[in-house]
């Protein structure tokens, strides 16, 4: 059985030894934090009784509190990592420089401590999403602007799924690895065992995931794509499709990692100033890197998600990802002049970021 450290050393064997150390130490710290977050989440309502939480008195408040506990847990762990200069969390308004290592850490960490948290009450799978970026101005305390890097600059990304099993799925840009948490191991030294590597998303699929209650707000290319899937055997696709919607992005992406499919939270017209529901840095970019590393594709409709440069830390974007053939098809629908898509809301070039080689 190969454990996290050994698997990372093997996966990064072609890198400089310093890079290997820095990246594996940091990923171990994140894995450690996530084992603890999983433990807190698995306590459910008992978390309060066991002292994880102190101010909770109703189910709704407990949910919110769990987000904050997860965030605290991640921050406490990152603060001890000498390689991390600072972090940005979906729960924090601004980035936080590391109290001890802001001036010399070579990496920045971005995370969503508990994604899909509206599912906590229903005891449905939730997850943590993380992304690791280079700190380009090492030596200076990082501020918000240092984090505004397009997804293709990520050196690693991953998620942890708190389901019946706790899984960590990660990439260091050398394919996708899956680890399973051995729940018999002590929380102080959690044991993550490599259970799958070289994950490949099948290029074709008959399964899609979308919140269909928003249908009236979708744009034409998405209306067309979904209508064609729903038309099934008698429609232009000449095959039946299945639909899933867990409403928990980590669970949704993990299903796609295991058997293919398409996940869509497309641009809609509900709130014109918010062109999407999901956040670029905490959700879209890390998931896009994972999906692309597994042979899939991830777009906002017209551009690759990994090319988008954030304007603000908590920027929201449309997200469409999964099996490559289907995403290619959705791109072609957006490019079709009959579909009337003229928006180009996102920057993909800046003076300060090198275009991808
Ligand atoms: P949540 O708000 O519960 O954290 O991150 C946003 C997210 O969940 C995704 O995990 C999920 O896919 C989506 O929102 C669910 O959106 P709907 O409420 O529209 O179903």
């Amino acid at each position: 059985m190969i454990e996290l450290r050994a698997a990372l050393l093997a996966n990064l064997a072609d890198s400089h030894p310093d890079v290997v150390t820095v990246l594996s130490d940091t990923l171990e710290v994140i894995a450690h934090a996530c084992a603890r977050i999983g433990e807190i989440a698995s306590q459910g309502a008992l978390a309060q009784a066991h002292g994880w939480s102190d101010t909770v008195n109703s189910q709704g408040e407990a949910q919110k509190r769990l987000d904050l506990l997860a965030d605290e847990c991640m921050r406490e762990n990152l603060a001890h990592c000498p390689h991390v200069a600072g972090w940005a969390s979906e729960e924090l308004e601004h980035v936080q420089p590391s109290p001890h290592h802001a001036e010399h850490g070579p990496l920045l960490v971005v995370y969503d401590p508990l994604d899909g948290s509206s599912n906590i009450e229903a005891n449905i799978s939730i997850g943590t999403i993380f992304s690791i970026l280079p700190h380009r101005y090492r030596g200076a305390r990082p501020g918000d602007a240092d984090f505004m890097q397009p997804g293709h600059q990520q050196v690693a990304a991953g998620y942890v799924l708190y389901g019946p099993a706790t899984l960590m799925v990660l990439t260091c840009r050398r394919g996708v690895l899956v680890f399973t948490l051995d729940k018999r191991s002590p929380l102080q030294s959690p044991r993550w065992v490599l259970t799958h590597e070289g994950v490949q998303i099948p290029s074709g699929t008959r399964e899609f995931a979308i919140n269909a209650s928003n249908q009236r707000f979708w744009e034409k290319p998405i209306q067309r794509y979904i209508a064609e899937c729903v038309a099934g055997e008698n429609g232009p696709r000449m095959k039946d499709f299945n639909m899933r919607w867990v409403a928990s992005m980590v669970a949704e992406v993990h299903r796609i990692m295991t058997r293919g499919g398409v996940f869509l939270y497309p641009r809609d017209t509900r709130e014109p100033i918010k062109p999407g529901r999901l956040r670029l840095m905490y959700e879209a970019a890390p998931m896009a890197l994972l999906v692309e590393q597994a042979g899939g594709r991830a777009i906002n409709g017209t551009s690759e998600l990994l090319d988008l440069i954030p304007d603000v830390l908590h920027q929201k974007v449309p997200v469409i990802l999964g099996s490559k053939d289907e995403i290619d098809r959705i791109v072609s629908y957006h490019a079709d002049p009959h579909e009337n898509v003229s928006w180009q809301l996102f920057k993909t070039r800046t003076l300060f970021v090198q275009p991808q080689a």
Side-chain angles (χ1 to χ4, degrees):
M1 295 233 257
I2 306 173
E3 295 192 26
L4 180 61
R5 186 78 185 195
L8 290 172
L9 296 185
N11 187 252
L12 292 162
D14 61 347
S15 305
H16 189 282
D18 292 349
V19 172
V20 179
T21 306
V22 162
L23 208 46
S24 357
D25 286 355
T26 306
L27 286 166
E28 277 194 326
V29 165
I30 293 171
H32 196 98
C34 290
R36 191 164 166 83
I37 294 171
E39 168 62 17
I40 299 171
S42 74
Q43 297 283 328
L46 295 179
Q48 185 186 3
H50 290 179
W52 294 111
S53 155
D54 48 14
T55 57
V56 188
N57 55 16
S58 81
Q59 199 64 29
E61 288 166 0
Q63 282 178 310
K64 194 144 185 273
R65 184 71 188 145
L66 201 54
D67 279 0
L68 300 180
L69 284 171
D71 187 59
E72 265 166 40
C73 179
M74 188 64 99
R75 277 188 277 138
E76 277 169 22
N77 280 272
L78 292 175
H80 294 297
C81 182
H83 313 305
V84 177
W87 49 87
S89 161
E90 207 203 62
E91 296 293 332
L92 301 171
E93 197 181 341
H94 294 291
V95 307
Q96 206 169 63
S98 168
H100 314 297
H101 309 290
E103 265 88 34
H104 53 263
L107 299 176
L108 304 173
V109 175
V110 177
Y111 63 90
D112 178 356
L114 222 44
D115 186 70
S117 51
S118 48
N119 282 316
I120 294 169
E121 193 179 17
N123 200 21
I124 289 170
S125 297
I126 47 180
T128 297
I129 308 173
F130 58 89
S131 155
I132 302 181
L133 292 161
H135 182 24
R136 290 168 297 168
Y137 304 105
R138 190 177 176 182
R141 287 170 74 77
D144 285 10
D146 295 297
F147 286 75
M148 309 292 185
Q149 304 182 39
H152 62 67
Q153 304 276 14
Q154 295 172 99
V155 291
Y159 61 78
V160 175
L161 176 62
Y162 310 110
T166 298
L167 304 179
M168 179 164 57
V169 179
L170 66 83
T171 180
C172 301
R173 311 190 71 100
R174 289 158 182 78
V176 175
L177 308 174
V178 181
F179 297 87
T180 303
L181 178 64
D182 180 351
K183 292 195 178 169
R184 295 163 309 178
S185 60
L187 258 190
Q188 299 77 2
S189 47
R191 198 163 160 259
W192 292 91
V193 179
L194 180 68
T195 44
H196 194 178
E197 58 188 319
V199 176
Q200 279 297 311
I201 297 173
S203 57
T205 183
R206 291 173 177 225
E207 201 160 71
F208 65 91
I210 194 164
N211 182 345
S213 68
N214 296 325
Q215 181 179 2
R216 66 193 181 284
F217 301 113
W218 300 336
E219 296 189 314
K220 279 177 77 180
I222 301 298
Q223 297 280 4
R224 174 179 168 191
Y225 177 74
I226 298 297
E228 288 180 0
C229 292
V230 171
E233 235 177 23
N234 301 326
R237 303 295 305 272
M238 294 185 291
K239 58 183 183 181
D240 290 337
F241 280 76
N242 193 14
M243 197 195 94
R244 289 281 181 270
W245 187 249
V246 185
S248 177
M249 190 191 194
V250 176
E252 227 92 62
V253 170
H254 193 67
R255 187 185 58 249
I256 290 172
M257 287 285 180
T258 57
R259 63 178 194 225
V262 181
F263 169 88
L264 307 98
Y265 217 119
R267 181 169 194 259
D268 68 42
T269 54
R270 271 178 297 176
E271 289 181 83
I273 52 156
K274 286 188 195 154
R277 163 91 155 95
L278 303 178
R279 289 178 170 80
L280 173 55
M281 294 181 62
Y282 310 101
E283 291 160 323
M287 291 308 201
L289 186 65
L290 285 157
V291 164
E292 293 208 357
Q293 285 288 318
R297 189 174 174 191
I299 56 165
N300 68 353
T302 56
S303 306
E304 307 301 318
L305 284 178
L306 290 179
D307 289 341
L308 304 182
I309 299 164
D311 282 321
V312 290
L313 210 52
H314 297 280
Q315 184 167 338
K316 293 186 168 187
V317 288
V319 173
I320 303 169
L321 54 78
S323 293
K324 189 169 178 311
D325 292 352
E326 295 299 307
I327 307 297
D328 291 349
R329 175 182 287 270
I330 295 169
V331 169
S332 76
Y333 290 2
H334 281 83
D336 185 337
H338 296 109
E339 306 294 356
N340 247 343
V341 177
S342 56
W343 48 278
Q344 178 47 281
L345 291 164
F346 301 94
K347 283 188 299 189
T348 55
R349 290 271 156 135
T350 157
L351 284 177
F352 303 107
V353 177
Q354 292 297 317
Q356 199 174 17

